[in-house]
């Protein structure tokens, strides 16, 4: 028996099982819950997700832990799913608590925003940047560090296998606003039991974090007009889901697996 602990093990086992059982679309993607209330999800966005069910697309691609640059880049999603014209960027947590662990929750939100800023940079296309007399093709744009500090993200195409393998597939989704950002937790949100309260808490915290970060971009732009702030994210492309509470019983995903996932607390 192989015993697996932690977020990376959970991510690998879950997506492996979803892929093997052909439940990635039917169980996970089509059951995502919006951060905001249903009334705030635009009709266009609902149609986009309905498209996943109504139309037959080529099989989904799952990329685990693709690195888009840690230092000068845009971060590393735990999982990236490409399906049709849609992309889904996953940040996975063993548990999620908005009440007593705000710093941990903020980190998760910041990571999702970094993937959003990467897609805004992709939508701007490939640029040419001079460096020590040489021209380099890059994807670049304003972003934030893991701690929420403003910076300019730069990814050179040369030698970056993940970017070169994926950019032609990622750009159409970024250009058409079919990029989605998902907070996936092993356990249900702690300290908040009712579904309506969970959405209210997620909505409020999302607005708080994005407002703080956007104000930093605006402040930087006021000091240097050439540094244009990125388009502010809208909440209707941010989603969440729980494994234990919502997915496990529906799909029996990690039951009778050759490896046994052992949940651990991140607190």
């Amino acid at each position: 028996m192989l015993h697996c602990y932690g977020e990376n093990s959970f991510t690998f086992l879950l997506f492996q099982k979803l892929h093997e059982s052909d439940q990635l679309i039917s169980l996970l993607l089509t059951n995502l819950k919006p951060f905001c209330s249903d009334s705030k999800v635009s009709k266009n966005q609902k149609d986009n997700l309905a498209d996943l069910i109504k139309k037959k697309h080529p099989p989904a691609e799952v990329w685990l832990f693709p690195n888009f640059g840690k230092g000068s880049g845009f971060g590393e999603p735990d999982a990236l799913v490409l399906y049709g014209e849609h992309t889904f960027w996953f940040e996975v947590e063993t548990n999620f608590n908005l009440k007593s662990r705000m710093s941990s929750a903020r980190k998760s939100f910041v990571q999702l925003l970094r993937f959003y800023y990467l897609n805004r940079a992709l939508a701007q296309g490939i640029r040419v940047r001079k460096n020590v007399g040489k021209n380099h093709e890059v994807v670049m744009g304003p972003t934030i560090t893991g701690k929420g500090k403003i910076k300019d993200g730069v990814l050179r195409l040369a030698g970056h296998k993940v970017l070169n393998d994926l950019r032609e597939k990622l750009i159409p989704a970024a250009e058409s606003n079919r990029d989605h950002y998902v907070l996936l937790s092993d356990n249900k949100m702690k300290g908040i039991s009712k579904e309506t309260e969970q959405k209210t808490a997620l909505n409020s915290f999302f607005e708080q974090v994005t407002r703080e970060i956007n104000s930093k971009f605006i402040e930087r732009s006021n000091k240097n007009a050439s540094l244009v702030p990125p388009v502010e994210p809208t909440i209707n492309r941010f989603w969440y889901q729980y494994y234990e509470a919502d997915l496990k019983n529906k799909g029996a995903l990690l039951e009778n697996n050759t490896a046994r996932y052992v949940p651990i607390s991140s607190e």
Side-chain angles (χ1 to χ4, degrees):
M1 175 68 71
L2 175 65
H3 296 270
C4 302
Y5 289 84
E7 293 165 8
N8 285 0
S9 295
F10 169 69
T11 303
F12 177 81
L13 290 175
L14 176 61
F15 279 91
Q16 179 189 47
K17 195 67 175 180
L18 284 166
H19 177 71
E20 290 176 348
S21 60
D22 198 25
Q23 296 182 90
L24 180 65
I25 311 303
S26 62
L27 183 62
L28 179 57
L29 296 189
T30 56
N31 285 301
L32 295 179
K33 304 175 182 180
F35 274 18
C36 57
S37 63
D38 291 338
S39 62
K40 290 187 177 181
V41 180
S42 69
K43 182 181 184 302
N44 181 55
Q45 199 60 20
K46 289 180 180 178
D47 290 343
N48 282 346
L49 286 182
D51 174 65
L52 292 173
I53 306 173
K54 294 177 180 178
K55 293 183 180 180
K56 289 185 177 181
H57 297 289
E61 292 186 34
V62 179
W63 294 71
L64 298 181
F65 319 113
N67 191 335
F68 293 95
K70 294 183 179 180
S72 60
F74 296 86
E76 179 184 274
D78 293 313
L80 170 61
V81 174
L82 286 66
Y83 186 64
E85 297 177 334
H86 301 261
T87 59
F88 295 82
W89 301 73
F90 285 82
E91 176 69 10
V92 179
E93 300 291 347
T94 51
N95 52 60
F96 193 74
N97 191 337
L98 283 175
K99 284 198 170 181
S100 64
R101 292 190 61 81
M102 293 295 279
S103 59
S104 176
R106 181 182 178 83
K107 178 183 175 183
S108 299
F109 276 57
V110 166
Q111 284 292 86
L112 290 177
L113 288 172
R114 292 178 77 187
F115 310 145
Y116 167 81
Y117 295 131
L118 168 57
N119 277 278
R120 302 289 68 75
L122 287 167
Q124 295 297 315
I126 305 303
R127 305 187 189 184
V128 177
R129 183 170 181 254
K130 288 188 176 181
N131 185 17
V132 196
K134 296 181 179 179
N135 292 340
H136 298 288
E137 289 187 319
V138 298
V139 170
M140 62 183 297
T143 185
I144 51 180
T145 68
K147 294 182 179 180
K149 294 183 179 179
I150 301 299
K151 71 171 185 177
D152 290 311
V154 179
L155 282 178
R156 287 178 55 179
L157 269 64
H160 200 295
K161 180 169 175 53
V162 171
L163 183 60
N164 283 301
D165 284 346
L166 288 175
R167 65 186 176 90
E168 294 300 328
K169 300 176 182 179
L170 298 177
I171 288 175
E175 291 177 336
S176 60
N177 294 326
R178 287 185 170 91
D179 44 311
H180 309 267
Y181 308 91
V182 185
L183 174 63
L184 177 62
S185 177
D186 175 24
N187 295 296
K188 216 167 188 179
M189 189 184 302
K190 291 190 174 182
I192 305 175
S193 57
K194 294 182 179 179
E195 189 75 18
T196 54
E197 293 177 352
Q198 292 173 25
K199 286 189 177 182
T200 300
L202 284 167
N203 194 334
S204 176
F205 194 44
F206 175 88
E207 290 180 349
Q208 174 191 330
V209 173
T210 54
R211 185 168 55 247
E212 290 175 4
I213 292 174
N214 194 53
S215 66
K216 294 179 182 179
F217 280 123
I218 292 174
E219 181 181 353
R220 187 179 80 150
S221 179
N222 289 338
K223 294 178 181 178
N224 187 339
S226 65
L227 301 174
V228 180
V231 176
E232 190 172 355
T234 55
I235 197 171
N236 63 4
R237 292 214 300 282
F238 288 76
W239 313 83
Y240 70 101
Q241 186 55 273
Y242 308 118
Y243 168 68
E244 285 285 345
D246 295 319
L247 298 182
K248 183 177 180 180
N249 292 334
K250 290 181 181 179
L253 290 172
L254 299 187
E255 299 296 328
N256 302 318
N257 203 4
T258 54
R260 177 172 177 263
Y261 169 65
V262 183
I264 60 173
S265 173
S266 63
E267 301 194 18

